[in-house]
Amino acid sequence: MADATTTANWTPRGAWAGILQQGHLGAPAKTGVRIEAQDGLGIASLIAPATGVAGLAEAVKARFGLGLPPAPAIARSKTHAGVWAGPGQWLLIAEDRAGFADALALLSDVAAVADQSSGRAALRLSGAHVRDALAKGCMLDLHPVAFPVGMAALTSIAHIGVHLWRAQDGPEGAVFEIMVARSFAGSFWSWLSASVAEFGCEVVTNGASTGRG
């Protein structure tokens, strides 16, 4: 068992540290996909009590100005997002972890709350060929008609469980955000990096480049 002297020297690491490397990947002179590591997010699971979701929904609205989506979708305020994760369940995502633990404590009376900030690994994917790359392993139909902006899903990609949603479109079209359990980050990247290689890919590591999450 690690003692206090040992743990005092541990340095926090981003979920993608040692996995992603910033730069160009795959086909040269082509950038069909852009991948950005989303380190530093505050992430928590919220599960409503058996008595219903009303109390939790009211508390989240009052504290974060955020309405929890009742269906597989993502809702956003200026600083937070709520992603449907099953009946009576959501992920609460903060752009910044500062004060996140204190904010979660205010929800503990109306929901089962678990901080997942260090247990999830998130990526933002965009580019002209992002759907082509994801189609190699995703079982969902990601066509704009079938998967519009704001839609979310729990599914599997390359036999790895993922939480996937579509963000607002960017200059090059569709933007997808994907979250996996941190323990599967390396395996997921092994598949994704191979899938995007033929299209050429720009990788932006964010906090992962310094090793801090």
Side-chain angles (χ1 to χ4, degrees), residues 35 74 188:
I35 298 174
I74 179 171
F188 185 76

Side-chain angles (χ1 to χ4, degrees), residues 1 9 57 101 107 128 139:
M1 179 180 296
N9 295 323
L107 301 178
M139 297 184 293

